[in-house]
Amino acid sequence: MKKSELASKLKEYFANQSIITTKEITKVLANAFPEVSTNTISWRINQLKKEKLIYQTGRGLYSFEFKPEYTPDFSLKTKRLYNRMKPFCKAELSMWDTQMLNHISETNVDRYWVFLSTKKEELEPLFENMLDFSKQTFLQPDKEVISRYLMAHTEAVIITPLVSETPLCKLGEYITPTIEGLLVNVWLKYENYLKPIGFDIKKLYEQAFKKYSINQSKLLRYAARRDKRNEINEFIKSIE
C-alpha cells in the first residue's frame, strides 16, 4: 500500500480524533497487516512523518493537520524595554506580555503588562535598576498588591523568578517562553492576573491549539515541573 493510501486509511479510521497515539496507529496497522513486524510498522510511521502525511505533536502523539510553529511578534515597546533591562542581568532574561495573549486568543484586552523573569538572585538588583523607569514595576507581587495596586495600571512590568526547565526560545536578541511554556505560565497567572482583566483561559487554549503546532509532551513536562500536570492535562482533554 502506498504511503498516501495508508495515511488516508488512518485518517478515515481516526476521523473523530484530532490527536492519535503511536499505540493506536500500531494497533490499526497490525490488524490491517498481520504479517508485518513491529519494526516495519515503526518504519512506516517514520515514512509518513517524512512525507508530511502525519505530524508529530509530542512524544508518541500525531495529527493529520499541519499547523505552523508559534513565533511571537514583539512590539517595539517591548523590545526597547528588554534592551534596557538586559544589561542589568548576567543570567537569562525571559519576557512575555499581554499583547502576545491578545494575538493568540484574538481578543483586545486593554492592558499592556510585561512579565520579566530571571534567576532569583538577580531579581532585587533588576527591580532596583527599574525604579528610575517611567513604568510601574512590581517585584513578585502577592494577591493583595495585585488587586490594590497593579490592577489600576494599564501599563506595568512584573518581575518574577525564572523557573528552571522553563521551555524557552531565542528570537534574535530576545528570549521568551515557547508556546508550551507560555500556556503553562498563563495557567499559573490566570486567577490573580489575567482573569480579572478580561482574558478567558478556555479561549486562549482553544485558539492556541487551533492555530499552532503545540508539543503536548513538552507542555505537560513543564506543567509537571510546576505541579500542574494533571489539572492542565484534563483541561486540554476537555477542549479537544
Side-chain angles (χ1 to χ4, degrees):
M1 182 180 288
K2 293 180 180 179
K3 290 188 285 291
S4 58
E5 293 174 349
L6 181 58
S8 295
K9 285 288 183 183
L10 289 173
K11 191 178 291 188
E12 182 180 339
Y13 189 89
F14 296 109
N16 296 321
Q17 288 182 228
S18 58
I19 300 293
I20 54 177
T21 66
T22 300
K23 186 177 180 180
E24 289 172 324
I25 296 173
T26 300
K27 183 178 180 181
V28 170
L29 296 184
N31 289 336
F33 309 101
E35 74 285 357
V36 175
S37 69
T38 303
N39 287 339
T40 300
I41 289 176
S42 296
W43 177 81
R44 286 271 194 176
I45 294 173
N46 282 325
Q47 289 299 306
L48 292 175
K49 284 168 53 182
K50 287 181 180 178
E51 295 287 334
K52 300 189 183 304
L53 295 170
I54 59 173
Y55 302 93
Q56 191 159 9
T57 62
R59 187 176 181 182
L61 300 175
Y62 299 90
S63 171
F64 295 109
E65 183 182 0
F66 169 77
K67 294 176 184 176
E69 299 288 333
Y70 171 68
T71 304
D73 184 16
F74 294 120
S75 67
L76 184 59
K77 190 187 295 187
T78 297
K79 289 179 178 178
R80 284 174 175 166
L81 176 67
Y82 186 92
N83 290 336
R84 291 184 71 183
M85 295 299 97
K86 190 65 182 77
F88 302 127
C89 290
K90 296 177 182 177
E92 284 184 323
L93 178 66
S94 171
M95 70 171 175
W96 59 278
D97 62 43
T98 49
Q99 290 186 356
M100 294 164 65
L101 305 186
N102 274 332
H103 177 74
I104 292 170
S105 60
E106 298 179 4
T107 53
N108 190 28
V109 172
D110 183 25
R111 287 294 195 285
Y112 172 65
W113 290 352
V114 180
F115 293 84
L116 292 177
S117 299
T118 190
K119 285 187 175 180
K120 285 184 179 180
E121 58 268 28
E122 299 210 34
L123 295 179
E124 288 285 352
L126 180 61
F127 177 68
E128 289 172 6
N129 278 296
M130 290 193 66
L131 292 178
D132 293 332
F133 285 24
S134 58
K135 282 188 174 44
Q136 291 294 320
T137 305
F138 297 84
L139 176 60
Q140 300 187 78
D142 58 24
K143 189 173 182 179
E144 183 179 358
V145 170
I146 294 169
S147 176
R148 294 184 63 182
Y149 302 106
L150 176 60
M151 289 298 162
H153 297 286
T154 302
E155 297 192 7
V157 178
I158 299 103
I159 301 175
T160 61
L162 180 61
V163 176
S164 63
E165 300 178 34
T166 300
L168 302 172
C169 61
K170 191 168 184 179
L171 301 170
E173 303 174 23
Y174 311 104
I175 296 174
T176 187
T178 64
I179 186 68
E180 296 84 6
L182 182 61
L183 287 174
V184 174
N185 286 343
V186 164
W187 183 276
L188 294 165
K189 302 246 184 320
Y190 183 64
E191 286 297 327
N192 289 339
Y193 291 92
L194 303 176
K195 184 179 179 180
I197 61 175
F199 282 108
D200 181 335
I201 197 165
K202 187 171 186 288
K203 186 173 183 179
L204 266 164
Y205 268 69
E206 284 178 342
Q207 290 291 348
F209 275 85
K210 177 182 176 182
K211 292 159 63 175
Y212 304 111
S213 173
I214 295 175
N215 187 316
Q216 289 193 37
S217 299
K218 183 190 291 186
L219 188 155
L220 292 175
R221 277 197 304 274
Y222 181 46
R225 178 74 179 82
R226 307 302 302 272
D227 297 322
K228 297 296 180 182
R229 179 187 174 93
N230 291 339
E231 294 175 36
I232 293 179
N233 190 33
E234 289 304 313
F235 182 71
I236 291 170
K237 288 178 181 178
S238 74
I239 64 173
E240 286 180 344

